[in-house]
């Protein structure tokens, strides 16, 4: 890659990071291209040259956000932490993310996530879901997950939750309850967090 191409890629990355930050803080619809250009130190024309439209920039920002979350999630799952430590981190991270993400950004993310054949849906199906199954198998081996539960029922449970999030009214209710929903998902209504007998 020559110097010009490298500078172009660096500038594009700065625009994308700036857009993502603003979208998360204010929601995509409340952020103007002029706001992004000013904070990124570029012209509006540069943004349109690199991304085509604001909608394309929003899509790129959602993909960047998804990739960042996936990298963190994947790295943590590769660690030597126990099942309860991994689950606690997932719950804590979701609560933290929900508190720092504007509802409109979360809504855009959910809309993208629930669209079939979207980038997020593909990543979820091909990478995240198999890793979740590995986590549940770890939990079974360590005695924290009922070995009588099949992976099929766990996948169905996840799919039902995903289908529910397609409803905007449910998404708005679900966002502030992320920690509790995740706890119920992993531990059930009894909240049992110890090893199975």
């Amino acid at each position: 890659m020559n110097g010009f191409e490298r500078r172009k890629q660096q500038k594009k990355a700065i625009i994308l990071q700036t857009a993502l930050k603003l979208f998360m803080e204010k929601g995509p619809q409340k952020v103007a291209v002029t706001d992004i250009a000013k904070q990124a130190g570029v012209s509006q024309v540069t943004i349109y040259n690199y991304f085509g439209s604001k909608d394309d920039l929003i899509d790129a920002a959602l993909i960047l956000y998804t990739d960042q979350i996936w990298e963190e999630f994947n790295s943590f799952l590769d660690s030597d932490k126990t099942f309860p430590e991994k689950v606690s981190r997932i719950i804590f991270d979701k609560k933290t993310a929900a508190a720092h993400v504007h509802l409109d950004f979360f809504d855009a993310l959910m809309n993208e996530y629930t669209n079939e054949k979207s980038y997020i849906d593909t990543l979820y199906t091909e990478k995240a879901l198999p890793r979740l199954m590995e986590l549940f198998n770890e939990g079974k081996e360590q005695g924290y997950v009922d070995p009588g539960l099949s992976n099929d029922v766990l996948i169905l449970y996840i799919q039902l939750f995903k289908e529910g999030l397609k409803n905007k009214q449910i998404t708005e209710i679900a966002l502030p309850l992320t920690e509790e929903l995740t706890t119920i998902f992993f531990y059930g209504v009894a909240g049992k967090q110890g090893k199975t007998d």
Side-chain angles (χ1 to χ4, degrees), residues 18-38:
T18 303
L20 176 58
K21 179 178 178 291
L22 290 171
F23 292 156
M24 288 174 66
E25 289 173 359
K26 302 178 181 180
Q29 302 312 317
K30 292 193 173 83
V31 177
V33 173
T34 52
D35 300 328
I36 299 166
K38 184 177 178 181

Side-chain angles (χ1 to χ4, degrees), residues 52-69:
S53 69
K54 182 182 173 186
D55 285 341
D56 290 339
L57 179 57
I58 292 170
D59 289 344
L62 291 172
I63 288 171
L64 175 63
Y65 180 77
T66 302
D67 285 343
Q68 289 174 349
I69 296 298

Side-chain angles (χ1 to χ4, degrees), residues 75-83 85-86 138 142:
S75 295
F76 190 72
L77 288 183
D78 284 337
S79 72
D80 59 357
K81 302 291 185 184
T82 63
F83 178 80
E85 290 171 321
K86 289 179 181 179
E138 277 182 42
Q142 295 175 18

Side-chain angles (χ1 to χ4, degrees), residues 95-153:
K95 181 183 180 186
T96 302
H100 292 93
V101 172
H102 193 280
L103 180 59
D104 290 343
F105 180 82
F106 185 79
D107 193 33
L109 190 67
M110 285 297 102
N111 285 338
E112 174 66 16
Y113 170 60
T114 54
N115 286 336
E116 290 185 20
K117 307 296 182 193
S118 70
Y119 177 82
I120 298 173
D121 187 62
T122 300
L123 186 143
Y124 163 78
T125 303
E126 294 179 1
K127 296 181 179 178
L129 190 57
R131 290 309 312 263
L132 273 176
M133 290 302 100
E134 287 176 21
L135 178 62
F136 279 116
N137 288 334
E138 277 182 42
K140 288 177 183 179
E141 289 169 11
Q142 295 175 18
Y144 291 101
V145 175
D146 183 350
L149 292 175
S150 69
N151 284 351
D152 288 340
V153 79

